[in-house]
Amino acid sequence: MEWLTDPWTSEIMRRAFAEAIVMGAVAGALGCFVLVRGLGFLGESVAHTLILGVVIAFLLGGPVALGAVGAAAGTVALSSLLAADRRFSVDVSMGVLLPSCFGLGVTLIALTDGYRARLEDTLFGAILGVTDLDLALAAAVALVAAATLLLAGKELALVSFDRPMAQAMGYRVGLLDLLLFALVTLAAVVALRAVGNVLLTAMLLGPALSARLLTRTWWPMVATAAALGTLAGVLGLYWSWSSAVGGGAAIVLVVATMFVLVAAGRAAVAVTRVAR
Amino acid sequence: MSAAITVDGLGVSFGARTALEDVTFAVPAGAFVGVLGPNGAGKTTLLRALLGDVAHSGRLDVERPVAYVPQLSHTQDAFPIDALGVVLMGTYPRLGWWRRPSRTDREGARALLDRVGLADRARTPFDELSGGQRQRVLLARALAQQGRVMLLDEPLSGADARSRELVLDVIAEQCRRGGTVLMTTHDLAEAARVCDRMLVLNRALVAEGSTEDIFTEDVLRRAYGGDVLVLDGRPALIDDPHHHDRSPERLPWSG
């Protein structure tokens, strides 16, 4: 049983586990909204715009996590400003912001000698290097997400299922959308630290996709996705501990493996039913 | 009888396009009104204006709360939800922000599913129901809103015969209880059969009144243009090619 307890003896790994558990739950749960609303592109865009905030924070000598939060807030504000114009959808406004922020971020990296070494951390995550601030941020985001889902979860679900109906019922759907985008963006900030920019979308969509195949109703799907995200975080870290695979990559590979197993299981059940 | 809906000089524009202009009518409480008109006539826009959902000019006075059955196409199929869950959504505005539906709400929602003939489908995923069954679930959700006024957008299109009858039964009962129902439809024959009153729109109000007042060649020509035929002295609407798949019944007075 040593393999089970071994990683927990290391302070670095204990922090990494804490980060992975919280990040897995938050990204898993909020990823369900991303999946059913078809907002995969939003996650991807947020990931890319965050780079700019991270680089600016590094240049100013501030905490990288706060830079990411600042960039996230800017992204949400700018995209909703653009989307307020009926001619632009959220996707289109994100499509404008994404290359602009990413391009500016990469340009700044090129101009900053000291940053290049940390570029890999930003792209693929550095879960073994999480700081107290990162953990506090992850916990705060988890609390905000939980409180929001408790307070306005059913309204967010209604908007996700039947937007015109929510509007007809008198809900301010634009504000609910903004709330959802803000939550997804915060989840992306947390996941950025753990699995990095490139793998972030997989963390948002993977557990949600598996959960969709396993459940028939909304809240069980959200709970299942949160559980799968957490499980993937923990299993990924065990794998990373016992091999040379990086933490972020290991977690995302576990997410992908889960999906393949769930999909294969569903297919097998379907085939068995037909065979009978 | 007092008016449940009063509309005075209603106008709605989307940018440069005028969707409705200078529409004035009143609907007494307990009436079942069919809203007719060709594609793009502003039928759905009228419902949205009554819901308070679009910016408009003119005066609108609608008895609240207003229940609404939208067209089917707006729901997200990727969203996992069963029939009972959809009906419970009708209770959300009454519940307020943080409260969840109670056991009583759930029992009420089951009773409403029973009323639309879907008691045994409460736990069936919404996306596994047929078009007609989905329409009935959305009707049950509107009933859960407990509106004095109910607005239905094309509730009969794509529905099987049993669904049509059930939907119309529920509407009739709603009116007997003093509720007021406005239903948009392409089906002139059905509207003539079941509605007390008609509104005919073509961006403006073409005519309003009882079935006999409305079904004249003059009114239908003004609404539908050249798509009206006169057979044996009776007006009939030539089938709209956009709706071939929706309703086989088109020539209501040709026999």
Side-chain angles (χ1 to χ4, degrees):
Chain A
M1 293 301 272
E2 246 175 48
W3 63 271
L4 204 63
T5 51
D6 229 21
W8 294 86
T9 55
S10 146
E11 168 68 19
I12 290 176
M13 283 303 281
R14 279 201 298 273
R15 281 168 179 277
F17 273 120
E19 174 82 7
I21 287 168
V22 175
M23 179 276 299
V26 171
L30 294 177
C32 292
F33 287 97
V34 176
L35 182 73
V36 300
R37 295 282 299 266
L39 291 174
F41 188 60
L42 173 76
E44 188 67 30
S45 312
V46 166
H48 283 75
T49 52
L50 292 185
I51 278 229
L52 180 61
V54 170
V55 178
I56 290 176
F58 177 79
L59 284 177
L60 296 177
V64 166
L66 287 190
V69 173
T75 306
V76 170
L78 266 173
S79 66
S80 45
L81 212 69
L82 280 173
D85 187 320
R86 291 176 69 99
R87 289 169 296 178
F88 300 110
S89 67
V90 172
D91 264 12
V92 168
S93 59
M94 279 294 183
V96 174
L97 283 173
L98 181 156
S100 317
C101 294
F102 192 66
L104 194 57
V106 170
T107 308
L108 285 176
I109 290 173
L111 295 173
T112 319
D113 285 342
Y115 192 77
R116 280 176 203 228
R118 294 182 63 180
L119 180 60
E120 200 175 320
D121 287 357
T122 311
L123 290 179
F124 301 108
I127 197 161
L128 297 182
V130 292
T131 61
D132 286 343
L133 183 68
D134 291 326
L135 283 178
L137 184 72
V141 168
L143 277 177
V144 168
T148 308
L149 290 188
L150 219 61
L151 191 75
K154 68 180 192 304
E155 286 76 11
L156 287 173
L158 172 64
V159 167
S160 302
F161 172 62
D162 192 346
R163 202 168 187 279
M165 188 65 197
Q167 194 161 6
M169 282 177 170
Y171 290 109
R172 298 181 65 179
V173 292
L175 273 182
L176 285 169
D177 279 349
L178 190 62
L179 185 66
L180 182 62
F181 297 161
L183 281 182
V184 169
T185 306
L186 284 174
V189 170
V190 175
L192 179 76
R193 191 64 184 145
V195 298
N197 185 293
V198 179
L199 306 175
L200 193 156
T201 317
M203 204 59 226
L204 278 174
L205 291 179
L209 211 51
S210 300
R212 178 69 181 90
L213 294 180
L214 290 171
T215 54
R216 287 154 72 96
T217 50
W218 176 245
W219 293 110
M221 174 182 167
V222 173
T224 305
L228 289 179
T230 299
L231 186 64
V234 172
L235 291 180
L237 281 180
Y238 271 111
W239 182 14
S240 175
W241 172 261
S242 57
S243 70
V245 184
I251 291 171
V252 169
L253 279 173
V254 173
V255 166
T257 308
M258 278 175 171
F259 175 69
V260 170
L261 290 178
V262 169
R266 289 261 307 191
V269 169
V271 167
T272 319
R273 267 193 203 145
V274 171
R276 271 183 206 158
Chain B
M1 203 176 275
S2 63
I5 302 172
T6 311
V7 174
D8 191 5
L10 171 72
V12 179
S13 297
F14 299 112
R17 193 175 69 83
T18 302
L20 284 175
E21 65 179 326
D22 198 24
V23 175
T24 299
F25 65 89
V27 178
F32 178 16
V33 181
V35 181
L36 306 170
N39 280 340
K43 300 188 293 293
T44 299
T45 304
L46 173 67
L47 298 196
R48 289 184 59 198
L50 292 173
L51 283 163
D53 195 16
V54 288
H56 61 83
S57 58
R59 197 171 65 84
L60 284 178
D61 199 357
V62 186
E63 226 180 312
R64 304 215 169 255
V66 181
Y68 177 50
V69 182
Q71 288 186 38
L72 263 185
S73 51
H74 296 303
T75 53
Q76 276 281 4
D77 274 351
F79 192 95
I81 189 166
D82 55 25
L84 183 67
V86 175
V87 177
L88 281 170
M89 283 179 165
T91 66
Y92 287 3
R94 258 184 299 129
L95 290 176
W97 284 94
W98 56 272
R99 277 177 55 207
R100 306 246 172 277
S102 64
R103 180 188 289 262
T104 317
D105 293 322
R106 292 180 162 276
E107 281 164 7
R110 280 184 184 276
L112 290 176
L113 278 174
D114 187 32
R115 198 163 149 198
V116 297
L118 292 170
D120 56 336
R121 295 305 185 108
R123 286 297 171 193
T124 305
F126 189 69
D127 64 351
E128 287 178 17
L129 296 170
S130 74
Q133 289 172 334
R134 288 189 200 195
Q135 198 71 59
R136 276 142 64 192
V137 172
L138 296 187
L139 178 66
R141 179 177 69 178
L143 292 172
Q145 288 183 264
Q146 298 178 354
R148 298 281 306 151
V149 170
M150 186 181 276
L151 308 176
L152 300 100
D153 202 356
E154 298 282 348
L156 305 177
S157 69
D160 51 277
R162 176 170 155 72
S163 289
R164 292 165 84 93
E165 282 315 310
L166 274 161
V167 168
L168 292 171
D169 278 354
V170 168
I171 291 173
E173 194 185 333
Q174 191 75 3
C175 293
R176 273 198 303 277
R177 292 179 177 188
T180 309
V181 177
L182 240 76
M183 171 183 87
T184 70
T185 179
H186 278 91
D187 196 331
L188 287 178
E190 196 77 299
R193 191 169 70 83
V194 299
C195 296
D196 311 326
R197 299 173 71 80
M198 309 273 176
L199 281 174
V200 183
L201 290 177
N202 197 355
R203 302 213 177 162
L205 186 65
V206 176
E208 185 234 341
S210 66
T211 309
E212 295 79 48
D213 300 336
I214 297 302
F215 282 148
T216 65
E217 187 183 346
D218 172 55
V219 167
L220 294 180
R221 267 204 206 286
R222 273 193 287 145
Y224 293 91
D227 296 336
V228 175
L229 263 184
V230 181
L231 297 173
D232 296 334
R234 292 162 170 233
L237 184 60
I238 298 173
D239 203 348
D240 177 342
H242 293 109
H243 295 93
H244 262 300
D245 55 335
R246 287 184 165 181
S247 171
E249 199 177 7
R250 278 298 139 178
L251 292 168
W253 306 282
S254 57

